Amino acid sequence: MAATATAEQAQAIIEDQSLVEEQLWEELEKEDIPSYIRESRLEALKKQSQEYHAMKEKQHGEYSLLEDEKTFLDLTTSVKLCVVHFFHPDFRRCAVVDTHLEKLAKQYFETKFARISVETAKFLVAKLKVQVLPAIFCFKKGIVVDKIVGFEELGNTDDFRTEVLERRLARSGTIEMAEDEDPNKKTIFGMERRNKNQADSSDEDDD
C-alpha cells in the first residue's frame, strides 16, 4: 500500500489539481527524469484525483457516525480500507478512543474511519461477538482483518498517545505510517526537499 495522504493534502488535489500538477512539474524538472516517466506520474496524479473525489463522497477524512446497521454494511463493503469503532455513549473509554480516531481520520485520508453505537447495532454486536468496549474493527474490502478490544494493547491506560493506536492500526494493514522524517524536508508527493544550506554543504563535501 502506498503512503497515504492527509485529508488536507487530498483536498488540495481534489480542489486544485492544476496547481498540484504545476508543483509536480517543478519537482520533476529538478531531477534528471525522462519525459515518459514524468507523463506517467501526471497520469497517476489524475487517477489519484478521481479516486479522492470518490473517497470524499464517502466522507473520507472525517470520523463519521453510522446511524444504523445498513449504513455500516454499505460502508464496509464499498471502501477498500475501513476502521470502525463500536461504542457506547456512556462509556468514558469509548470517548477516549473517539478523540484519537478523529485525529487519525484527518491524517489517513485513504482509510475510512467511522463509529457505530452498540445500542443501534445489536445484530452486528452478536455477529461480531462484541463483548468488551471499546472495540475497534479493521476491515479490508468488507472483511474483518483485525480488532482491538479494550485498552490492553494500548498500554492499559486512559492516557495513551494517539501514536500508540496509530502503530497498532498500522500492524493491521489498514493504515501505513509515514516515514519518520522532518515534514519540512518533503513535498506533498513525498520527495525529499533540500534547502540551500544543505545543497551548499553537500557541494563543499564533494570538493
Side-chain angles (χ1 to χ4, degrees):
M1 182 171 61
T4 190
T6 66
E8 183 179 357
Q9 291 168 337
Q11 191 64 30
I13 293 175
I14 292 171
E15 292 183 349
D16 197 350
Q17 182 177 330
S18 61
L19 176 61
V20 175
E21 288 183 3
E22 289 178 7
Q23 294 178 15
L24 178 58
W25 274 112
E26 182 180 347
E27 292 173 15
L28 294 179
E29 287 173 355
K30 294 177 182 178
E31 304 178 13
D32 186 17
I33 299 177
S35 60
Y36 73 90
I37 294 182
R38 297 184 184 187
E39 293 174 1
S40 175
R41 291 191 182 180
L42 280 174
E43 285 301 316
L45 176 62
K46 292 176 182 178
K47 181 179 179 182
Q48 184 183 54
S49 179
Q50 294 172 352
E51 292 175 349
Y52 282 179
H53 271 286
M55 290 179 179
K56 187 69 176 178
E57 292 179 356
K58 294 184 180 296
Q59 297 183 314
H60 278 241
E62 303 176 26
Y63 184 42
S64 308
L65 174 63
L66 304 178
E67 299 292 347
D68 51 42
E69 293 175 325
K70 182 180 184 304
T71 306
F72 168 91
L73 293 172
D74 289 345
L75 176 67
T76 55
T77 57
S78 64
V79 300
K80 182 179 179 181
L81 301 171
C82 190
V83 173
V84 179
H85 171 210
F86 284 81
F87 75 98
H88 190 287
D90 296 333
F91 283 25
R92 178 172 51 84
R93 282 194 162 184
C94 288
V96 172
V97 168
D98 285 338
T99 300
H100 294 297
L101 291 181
E102 188 168 5
K103 294 178 181 177
L104 294 175
K106 297 176 182 179
Q107 186 172 346
Y108 294 94
F109 181 81
E110 294 170 16
T111 301
K112 176 58 192 165
F113 289 81
R115 60 201 288 256
I116 187 167
S117 171
V118 293
E119 295 183 326
T120 60
K122 298 186 184 301
F123 171 79
L124 290 172
V125 168
K127 182 74 173 177
L128 297 173
K129 299 180 181 179
V130 179
Q131 298 177 336
V132 177
L133 297 179
I136 304 171
F137 281 76
C138 303
F139 296 84
K140 285 186 178 181
K141 298 181 178 179
I143 299 174
V144 177
V145 295
D146 201 355
K147 64 181 178 180
I148 307 168
V149 179
F151 279 13
E152 185 175 346
E153 295 185 72
L154 305 175
N156 208 21
T157 174
D158 293 6
D159 299 327
F160 68 87
R161 296 184 303 162
T162 301
E163 290 79 4
V164 175
L165 178 55
E166 182 181 16
R167 288 194 294 269
R168 179 60 183 83
L169 289 174
R171 283 167 48 193
S172 74
T174 48
I175 66 171
E176 180 177 326
M177 293 182 66
E179 294 181 4
D180 186 17
E181 295 182 19
D182 183 352
N184 294 324
K185 296 179 181 179
K186 282 196 169 186
T187 68
I188 60 175
F189 300 97
M191 298 180 181
E192 184 174 353
R193 176 178 286 144
R194 299 171 64 196
N195 58 38
K196 186 176 184 301
N197 291 337
Q198 287 176 309
D200 292 344
S201 176
S202 177
D203 292 341
E204 291 175 1
D205 291 342
D206 290 342
D207 292 341

